[in-house]
Amino acid sequence: MSGPVIGVFDSGFGGLTVLRALVERLPQAEFVFLGDTARLPYGSKSQRTIARYAAESARFLVERQGAKSLVIACNTASALALDAIEAAVPVPVIGVIEPGAEAAAGQTKTGDVMVMATEATVASHAYAAACQRRGLHGIEKACPLLVPLVEEGWTDHAVTEQVVRIYLDEMLAEARAAGQQPDALVLGCTHYPLLRPVLERTVPPGVTVIDSAEATAQRVAIAMAGQAESRAAEAAGMPRIRCFATDSVAKFERLGSRFLGRPVGTVELIDLGG
Ligand code: DGL
């Protein structure tokens, strides 16, 4: 007997950090992960293009792989394409922005929350809006150099530490000039959890680093709790993970395990068009 099929989507393989948290919470589920590596990065593209790419990816997971729910493990797609995805597929869709903001609300005492993200996510102000809905003030910073550094595998490199420091210093200076006292930093991009050690070393004392992966997995687990299918799957044993990518399968297999925390196995190449 197989468990409920949960589709997990990212523009690349950074979303495997979310899948990792999901597997820990829902070990009986069956996961289908798609990384749209051919069209990465989404973070520097327009809303229209991101929405089209994300909707095509969502349809692949639901119509061709049988996903019964979708986790959008990509901040950029969650910020700019959640409506388009919901319109494209008839299954529940959970993004990472709201869980990230919720986790920040649970941590901050000052109410001033910093968010590092891609250019598109920052331009959408999705995090600022999600913070505002919780009575918090979101301070957003586009960090376009960080995804390529992670993709290069430079997660603990002196150059990366320097770049992180510059982005953080700029954001803190802006916040302090506006009289804010940020005490939380949300990792608003699924690549950034791999930079967590560097970020933890770089943030000022008293600032908590928040990864939306864990909060997202928690929300999915709550949404799935009590589903008959989920209970029936308890006899099924280990989670089953199938990974698909639109390009760079070898790179996905090589680097993906660092994000997932275990070997990703064979990654299947698919073509979603241009
Ligand atoms: N997955 C994207 C995000 O979480 C980062 C990579 C990209 O720009 O496509 O925002």
Side-chain angles (χ1 to χ4, degrees), residues 156-169:
D156 204 12
H157 194 288
V159 167
T160 309
E161 184 152 347
Q162 185 70 11
V163 172
V164 163
R165 194 175 296 282
I166 291 167
Y167 283 141
L168 264 175
D169 285 351

Side-chain angles (χ1 to χ4, degrees), residues 9-15 36 39-45 72-79 96 117-121 147-148 151 187-192:
F9 162 65
D10 184 24
S11 55
F13 40 76
D36 192 8
R39 306 190 285 196
L40 176 114
Y42 281 21
S44 55
K45 296 194 169 70
I72 309 306
C74 172
N75 286 264
T76 306
S78 297
V96 286
T118 64
E119 280 175 309
T121 300
V147 166
E151 292 269 318
L187 308 184
C189 170
T190 44
H191 276 63
Y192 300 173

